[in-house]
Amino acid sequence: MWHNLNGGGLGLDVRTFSVGRNFLVRVEHDSDFVVFLTSVAREQGIAAATFTAVGALKEAKLGFYDQERHVYVATLLAGPQEIASCVGNVSIKEGAPFVHAHAVLADRLGVVRAGHLLAGRVFAAEVHLVELVGEKVERKNDAVTGLSLWAI
Amino acid sequence: MWHNLNGGGLGLDVRTFSVGRNFLVRVEHDSDFVVFLTSVAREQGIAAATFTAVGALKEAKLGFYDQERHVYVATLLAGPQEIASCVGNVSIKEGAPFVHAHAVLADRLGVVRAGHLLAGRVFAAEVHLVELVGEKVERKNDAVTGLSLWAI
Amino acid sequence: MWHNLNGGGLGLDVRTFSVGRNFLVRVEHDSDFVVFLTSVAREQGIAAATFTAVGALKEAKLGFYDQERHVYVATLLAGPQEIASCVGNVSIKEGAPFVHAHAVLADRLGVVRAGHLLAGRVFAAEVHLVELVGEKVERKNDAVTGLSLWAI
């Protein structure tokens, strides 16, 4: 159960977990970062986790969520990128493990782009995935934001 | 006690902890990110922790610390931002849990801003907070930097 | 042993660990971030770990890996920078602990740079280092990328 620290209605929605397995993942060259991590989660039976990653991509697709129109606007970055930061989590969406990843990328000219990592073809990537053991974390559609958020 | 690995005077100041509770926090829509996390820390009795987060803000205030004049220079970002990365920690300052957060933000035009997250009105945010159990981590004023740093 | 989830040849290369010691590290003013963390790892006997960090640097050197020519192109940032994000790991390279750090930096004008953190003179930095206990994680030269990657 999520604990609503303020009582009904208000926020402070937190849920407590213990740490499960810790994984280091070397993402396969030329695979898609998000698809690959999703496969790891599904094959390992990971229902909830968070991760950090560093590495480099051959190309990437970043999303910016339009908070008014409730759609993702995608930008294709068609060339090599350092993964200067990647933070994300795994939870359950429509019955299966779902990877939510954000990233900060830098290209050879020093231009930095950042946002929701919709896709990224991997040059090399090192991921630390921390399994969280506790109640199931499920995503449900949220009317206010139009996003699929952790249900409470 | 902090262990000074080089002996007196020199650096290598590290302190060892065990992992306590792990929290997933869904930050309330329209709340302030820093205030909200501070409330979670206070209500849960968290004295030391680190966290990562992803999500989006409606607007934000980022700080850049002037290393010569010892003041924060704030920049207001008056529009929607992806939280491409957020890393921070909780420690004790003046007797109460204190949240120190840095963030990398991207706006709809792809402009990336980054720094100390002074404030951020939340559209949606997913936080993983890891409690660290051990000796108290207290912030004290540091004359060299002018910052409130973990005391040793 | 790394588990190749797809069977021979294919990716999904993951290794499982348990969490060891957790360290908070206050990096010494004026030290080099990478050298300092490497010293911590060596003196504490840390063979595998990941970390996150925030803080500020007096100056920095960022690397971009040229995926075709297999060399790092370095950029010197000759002035104060916020460490808006820093994510990395520790593994064994040529028999000793090796620190791999990526960072997102922002200067006083709001310009954001990001990439592989080759060097960074520390103004102040707060690091959370998580030791991973399990089989040794060793870096070996990888012919496809030209990088020193976690061996499988």
Side-chain angles (χ1 to χ4, degrees):
Chain A
M1 217 185 69
W2 294 84
H3 309 290
N4 187 306
L5 303 183
N6 275 346
L10 277 186
L12 297 212
D13 300 301
V14 306
R15 200 179 278 188
T16 312
F17 298 84
S18 58
V19 172
R21 295 167 290 172
N22 275 248
F23 300 93
L24 291 184
V25 182
R26 191 182 104 171
V27 185
E28 192 184 7
H29 186 78
D30 270 333
S31 71
D32 178 77
F33 184 88
V34 179
V35 171
F36 192 92
L37 268 197
T38 304
S39 298
V40 170
R42 292 185 186 201
E43 300 204 20
Q44 293 284 341
I46 298 169
T50 65
F51 60 85
T52 54
V54 294
L57 300 174
K58 292 182 166 184
E59 56 184 356
K61 188 156 71 168
L62 288 178
F64 175 86
Y65 190 72
D66 186 314
Q67 297 179 12
E68 295 196 350
R69 294 188 299 128
H70 290 186
V71 292
Y72 277 103
V73 181
T75 301
L76 191 66
L77 306 178
Q81 308 283 331
E82 291 288 318
I83 305 172
S85 169
C86 182
V87 174
N89 56 61
V90 177
S91 56
I92 299 296
K93 185 175 175 182
E94 294 165 10
F98 172 80
V99 170
H100 182 203
H102 281 209
V104 182
L105 307 174
D107 72 11
R108 70 164 57 236
L109 298 175
V111 176
V112 178
R113 301 288 181 141
H116 183 105
L117 186 64
L118 293 166
R121 193 150 61 96
V122 171
F123 181 74
E126 300 170 354
V127 184
H128 177 208
L129 189 74
V130 181
E131 186 183 31
L132 297 173
V133 177
E135 275 189 81
K136 194 159 66 168
V137 183
E138 267 195 297
R139 292 189 177 275
K140 303 277 187 193
N141 291 331
D142 173 64
V144 174
T145 61
L147 291 167
S148 178
L149 298 181
W150 295 339
I152 297 181
Chain B
M1 217 184 72
W2 293 85
H3 308 290
N4 187 307
L5 302 183
N6 276 346
L10 276 187
L12 296 214
D13 301 301
V14 307
R15 200 179 278 188
T16 311
F17 299 83
S18 59
V19 172
R21 296 166 292 172
N22 275 247
F23 300 93
L24 291 184
V25 181
R26 192 182 103 170
V27 185
E28 193 184 7
H29 186 78
D30 270 332
S31 71
D32 177 77
F33 184 87
V34 179
V35 170
F36 193 92
L37 268 196
T38 304
S39 298
V40 170
R42 292 184 186 202
E43 301 203 20
Q44 293 285 341
I46 298 169
T50 65
F51 59 85
T52 55
V54 295
L57 300 175
K58 292 183 167 184
E59 56 184 356
K61 189 158 70 170
L62 287 178
F64 174 87
Y65 189 71
D66 186 314
Q67 297 178 12
E68 295 196 351
R69 295 189 299 128
H70 290 186
V71 292
Y72 276 103
V73 181
T75 301
L76 192 66
L77 306 178
Q81 308 283 331
E82 292 288 318
I83 305 172
S85 169
C86 182
V87 173
N89 57 62
V90 177
S91 57
I92 299 296
K93 185 175 174 181
E94 294 166 9
F98 172 81
V99 169
H100 181 204
H102 281 209
V104 183
L105 307 175
D107 73 11
R108 69 164 57 238
L109 298 175
V111 177
V112 178
R113 300 288 182 140
H116 183 104
L117 186 64
L118 293 166
R121 192 150 62 94
V122 170
F123 182 74
E126 299 170 355
V127 184
H128 177 207
L129 189 74
V130 181
E131 186 184 30
L132 297 173
V133 177
E135 274 189 83
K136 194 158 65 168
V137 183
E138 266 195 298
R139 291 188 178 274
K140 304 276 186 194
N141 290 331
D142 172 64
V144 174
T145 60
L147 291 167
S148 178
L149 298 182
W150 294 338
I152 296 181
Chain C
M1 218 183 71
W2 294 84
H3 310 289
N4 187 307
L5 302 183
N6 276 346
L10 276 186
L12 296 212
D13 301 301
V14 307
R15 200 180 277 188
T16 311
F17 298 84
S18 58
V19 172
R21 295 167 290 172
N22 275 248
F23 300 93
L24 291 184
V25 182
R26 193 183 103 170
V27 185
E28 192 184 7
H29 187 77
D30 270 331
S31 70
D32 178 76
F33 184 87
V34 179
V35 170
F36 192 92
L37 268 197
T38 304
S39 298
V40 170
R42 292 184 185 201
E43 300 204 20
Q44 293 284 341
I46 298 169
T50 65
F51 59 87
T52 54
V54 295
L57 300 175
K58 292 183 167 184
E59 57 184 356
K61 188 157 70 169
L62 287 178
F64 174 86
Y65 189 71
D66 185 315
Q67 297 178 12
E68 296 196 350
R69 295 190 297 129
H70 290 185
V71 292
Y72 276 103
V73 180
T75 301
L76 192 67
L77 305 178
Q81 308 283 331
E82 292 287 319
I83 306 172
S85 169
C86 182
V87 174
N89 57 61
V90 177
S91 57
I92 299 295
K93 185 175 175 182
E94 294 166 9
F98 172 80
V99 169
H100 182 203
H102 280 209
V104 183
L105 307 174
D107 72 12
R108 69 164 57 237
L109 298 175
V111 177
V112 178
R113 300 288 181 141
H116 183 104
L117 185 64
L118 293 166
R121 191 148 63 94
V122 170
F123 181 75
E126 299 170 355
V127 183
H128 177 207
L129 189 74
V130 181
E131 186 183 31
L132 298 172
V133 177
E135 275 189 82
K136 195 159 64 168
V137 184
E138 266 196 297
R139 292 188 178 274
K140 304 276 188 194
N141 290 332
D142 173 64
V144 173
T145 60
L147 290 168
S148 179
L149 297 181
W150 295 339
I152 296 183

